[in-house]
């Protein structure tokens, strides 16, 4: 199975405009909930977050110039590695295998005077407790820096090596080969990389269902599922 790196498209040079991001400054008690989410906590009994609006660093008249199926965050928000996604994209994602732990939070987005159902897709939760690192076979994975390869027995050993290399070169280890012990269609590689990788099947489904707002890139390392 081939994997691709996925990113949110945020700049549109031809239109000379910047995509609006989701701001939850008007959500009741939003700061309280968003702080928990930034820390990796999953809130099972969260209310409907009503409401977000789009905002950018450009002029206010341009904040709502484009609506996508996915947006980043700005201002009062969970920020981090969370996506702000449409109902259509949530429904599509539910048919694919996402690395644990993740959660969807229902929200309302005020867009051009109408409130739409949008969702916070929280996948940073697995970072804090390193739940998803259990699916990386570190002894079989290969990392490198300055043409020198490294392997590790565990995430903890990888972290120690990475810290040592960062102190020496002011750079993190890069991936040459990552071996997953289980198949996932959506896998954020954080903390061993900032990349979010998706399967070819999920990429194809996003494109065929006209889910807007993503860009895909080839990756320069090997992904193996055993």
């Amino acid at each position: 199975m081939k994997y691709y790196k996925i990113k949110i498209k945020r700049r549109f040079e031809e239109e000379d405009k910047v995509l609006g991001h989701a701001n939850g400054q008007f959500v009741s008690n939003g700061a309280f909930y968003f702080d928990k989410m930034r820390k990796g906590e999953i809130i099972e009994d969260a209310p409907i977050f009503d409401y977000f609006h789009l905002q950018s660093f450009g002029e206010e008249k341009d904040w709502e110039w484009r609506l996508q199926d996915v947006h980043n965050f700005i201002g009062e928000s969970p920020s981090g590695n969370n996506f702000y996604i449409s109902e259509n994209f949530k429904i599509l994602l539910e048919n694919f295998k996402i690395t644990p732990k993740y959660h969807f939070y229902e929200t309302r987005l005020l867009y051009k005077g109408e409130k739409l159902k949008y969702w916070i897709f929280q996948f940073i939760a697995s970072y804090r407790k390193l739940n998803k690192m259990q699916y990386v076979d570190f002894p079989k994975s290969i990392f490198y820096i300055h043409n020198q390869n490294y392997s590790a027995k565990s995430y903890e050993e990888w972290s120690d090596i990475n810290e040592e290399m960062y102190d020496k070169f002011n750079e993190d280890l890069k991936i040459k080969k990552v071996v997953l012990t289980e198949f996932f269609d959506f896998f954020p590689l954080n903390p061993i990389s900032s990349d979010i990788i998706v399967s070819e099947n999920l990429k194809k489904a996003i494109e065929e269902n006209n889910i807007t707002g993503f860009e895909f890139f080839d990756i320069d390392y090997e992904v193996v599922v055993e």
Side-chain angles (χ1 to χ4, degrees):
M1 171 64 68
K2 185 173 182 179
Y3 279 87
Y4 294 86
K5 180 164 60 174
I6 189 171
K7 285 187 175 182
I8 298 175
K9 183 174 177 63
R10 295 182 293 180
R11 291 189 174 274
F12 301 83
E13 289 78 10
E14 292 182 3
E15 292 86 353
D16 193 28
K17 293 179 181 177
V18 178
L19 180 69
H21 310 302
N23 189 334
Q25 68 183 97
F26 300 119
V27 173
S28 178
N29 296 322
F32 170 77
Y33 290 107
F34 301 153
D35 182 61
K36 287 178 176 288
M37 293 161 67
R38 280 193 297 270
K39 293 175 180 176
E41 182 177 339
I42 289 179
I43 308 168
E44 300 288 354
D45 58 349
I48 295 174
F49 296 130
D50 186 2
Y51 61 94
F52 281 79
H53 67 96
L54 296 183
Q55 180 178 336
S56 77
F57 298 105
E59 297 182 43
E60 185 173 349
K61 66 181 179 62
D62 295 328
W63 288 358
E64 295 183 321
W65 80 274
R66 179 182 175 93
L67 181 65
Q68 300 188 157
D69 289 293
V70 59
H71 290 262
N72 270 320
F73 291 98
I74 195 172
E76 194 65 64
S77 67
S79 65
N81 289 325
N82 304 287
F83 288 162
Y84 194 62
I85 66 172
S86 67
E87 172 85 345
N88 286 341
F89 185 39
K90 175 184 179 285
I91 292 171
L92 186 147
L93 273 176
E94 288 174 332
N95 293 309
F96 290 87
K97 190 172 182 181
I98 305 169
T99 181
K101 295 184 175 179
Y102 66 92
H103 197 73
F104 296 108
Y105 300 90
E106 186 174 346
T107 82
R108 294 294 181 268
L109 171 65
L110 182 64
Y111 181 74
K112 295 187 175 180
E114 180 182 358
K115 284 190 177 180
L116 310 175
K117 184 187 291 188
Y118 263 67
W119 299 80
I120 297 170
F121 173 31
Q122 181 192 24
F123 52 87
I124 195 173
S126 57
Y127 165 64
R128 296 299 176 179
K129 295 184 180 179
L130 303 175
N131 292 310
K132 66 179 176 297
M133 289 296 98
Q134 67 182 296
Y135 301 108
V136 176
D137 191 329
F138 280 94
K140 294 182 182 179
S141 299
I142 303 172
F143 305 89
Y144 73 96
I145 192 169
H146 290 267
N147 297 317
Q148 177 66 45
N149 292 342
Y150 294 89
S151 61
K153 296 178 181 177
S154 63
Y155 165 76
E156 288 74 21
E157 185 173 305
W158 174 91
S159 183
D160 290 341
I161 297 171
N162 188 56
E163 184 176 352
E164 180 183 343
M165 293 301 104
Y166 193 86
D167 289 341
K168 185 176 181 179
F169 299 111
N170 199 33
E171 296 177 38
D172 288 319
L173 290 170
K174 299 176 179 63
I175 299 173
K176 178 174 284 188
K177 176 181 179 181
V178 61
V179 179
L180 304 180
T181 60
E182 194 171 319
F183 172 79
F184 295 97
D185 290 290
F186 183 98
F187 198 105
L189 286 169
N190 191 301
I192 63 174
S193 169
S194 60
D195 291 351
I196 300 170
I197 60 173
V198 296
S199 68
E200 189 170 18
N201 288 341
L202 178 52
K203 174 181 180 292
K204 184 178 179 181
I206 288 171
E207 293 171 337
E208 290 181 346
N209 287 275
N210 297 314
I211 300 297
T212 58
F214 283 117
E215 297 179 290
F216 298 96
F217 303 89
D218 289 327
I219 52 179
D220 59 0
Y221 47 84
E222 185 180 4
V223 179
V224 177
V225 180
E226 293 192 340

